[in-house]
Amino acid sequence: MHPLIEVPALDRLLRRQTPVVLLDVRWHLAGPPGIESYRKGHLPGAVFVDLDRDVAGPPGAGGRHPLPASGDFEAAMRRAGVSADRLVVVYDDADSTAAARVWWSLRYFGHDRVRVLDGGYRAWTEAGHAVTTDDPKVKPGDFIADPGRLPVLDAEGAAALARAGVLLDARAAERFRGEQEPVDPVAGHIPGARNAPTSGNVGVDGRFLPPSLLRERFAKLGATDALDVGAYCGSGVTAAHEILALNLAGIPAALYVGSWSNWVADSAHPVATGDS
């Protein structure tokens, strides 16, 4: 299944009353809780999913957004109405940063019928479609979590990939270079990683670039389908966005879920700064 869905296509599905589970996963790093945005207005029928609570385990040595326990993720998705036979459409504010983590998580835990609304809530409202503040009536789903359906990296695997393949760091350039680190206790990057900020995957409207441009972008970084590729970020959220962009470009890639927050939890791990 193609990982993206455009606003007109989603509107047609909803008008035809095609069974669709809509998940609103608006989330802001160090910002107001996403539930506040949801309460001010959301797509009709959309259920709010809390990225910190429902899509990640408790923060700790495994990182700020480690994988949740299978049972916890299964229960959260069932509460949201996710079932094996139903299409899931995930959206956030605009650029799919948070939505991509839910897309990746559902696929990792075995639900392949999931798509991200390209352009998110902003694209929906700019197209003139209705929103609501009503809470939907949710029929619990029957989703069964079956983990391991997508490749993941741990710290050792990420270090090896940085040496023998291509490891992309999805954070902003100043964080990669170690010039500033607003969240984690150590600044810098994994030695050998290459910087590919996720902001470069989308246009000013928050929609993903065409696959041809994404392939060109990643090729300049050495990432092609002929090599082993992986991605990390601060805590495994924006890196999932990188994985989605790589998917659109036709490049399979593994996610280092623990990412930088897991890497720096072990003082024995080396840290690089600068552009390389």
Side-chain angles (χ1 to χ4, degrees), residues 2-269:
H2 194 279
L4 300 181
I5 186 169
E6 301 293 337
V7 166
L10 176 59
D11 181 55
R12 286 194 297 270
L13 289 177
L14 298 180
R15 288 180 182 276
R16 294 171 186 164
Q17 297 186 330
T18 304
V20 178
V21 177
L22 285 173
L23 302 183
D24 182 313
V25 66
R26 281 178 282 179
W27 172 82
H28 317 98
L29 179 63
I35 188 64
E36 294 182 9
S37 297
Y38 176 83
R39 288 170 177 158
K40 291 177 182 177
H42 51 266
L43 273 63
V47 179
F48 180 72
V49 170
D50 188 302
L51 188 145
D52 295 318
R53 180 193 66 210
D54 300 328
V55 193
R64 286 185 280 109
H65 291 104
L67 276 171
S70 296
D72 293 341
F73 185 75
E74 178 178 290
M77 292 302 101
R78 287 189 174 196
R79 287 194 301 270
V82 176
S83 292
D85 61 344
R86 296 189 70 181
L87 171 67
V88 177
V89 174
V90 189
Y91 70 89
D92 55 27
D93 282 314
D95 66 4
S96 302
T97 296
R101 174 63 186 253
V102 181
W103 166 83
W104 183 90
S105 298
L106 279 165
R107 292 196 60 216
Y108 174 83
F109 282 106
H111 190 82
D112 292 328
R113 299 195 66 209
V114 54
R115 306 177 77 175
V116 171
L117 179 62
D118 200 17
Y121 184 81
R122 186 169 73 191
W124 180 263
T125 56
E126 287 181 349
H129 296 304
V131 296
T132 182
T133 57
D134 295 339
D135 290 328
K137 296 180 180 179
V138 182
K139 178 182 178 181
D142 61 10
F143 171 68
I144 298 176
D146 181 19
R149 302 288 290 275
L150 289 179
V152 295
L153 298 168
D154 57 12
E156 181 179 348
L161 191 58
R163 293 190 298 268
V166 177
L167 181 65
L168 300 177
D169 185 316
R171 298 173 299 164
E174 58 271 18
R175 292 182 70 188
F176 176 83
R177 292 192 295 262
E179 296 169 355
Q180 60 177 259
E181 180 46 65
V183 186
D184 294 305
V186 180
H189 61 267
I190 297 173
R194 308 174 192 187
N195 192 211
T198 52
S199 58
N201 295 329
V202 298
V204 294
D205 59 359
R207 292 180 173 88
F208 279 93
L209 300 178
S212 60
L213 292 182
L214 290 171
R215 282 193 295 272
E216 181 180 342
R217 179 189 191 221
F218 290 125
K220 290 179 179 177
L221 292 161
T224 71
D225 61 1
L227 295 170
D228 290 332
V229 178
Y232 77 98
C233 58
S235 67
V237 176
T238 54
H241 187 280
E242 197 90 284
I243 298 294
L244 176 50
L246 286 159
N247 182 290
L248 292 169
I251 303 170
L255 176 65
Y256 178 15
V257 183
S259 283
W260 187 245
S261 56
N262 168 247
W263 182 266
V264 298
D266 186 343
S267 60
H269 288 152

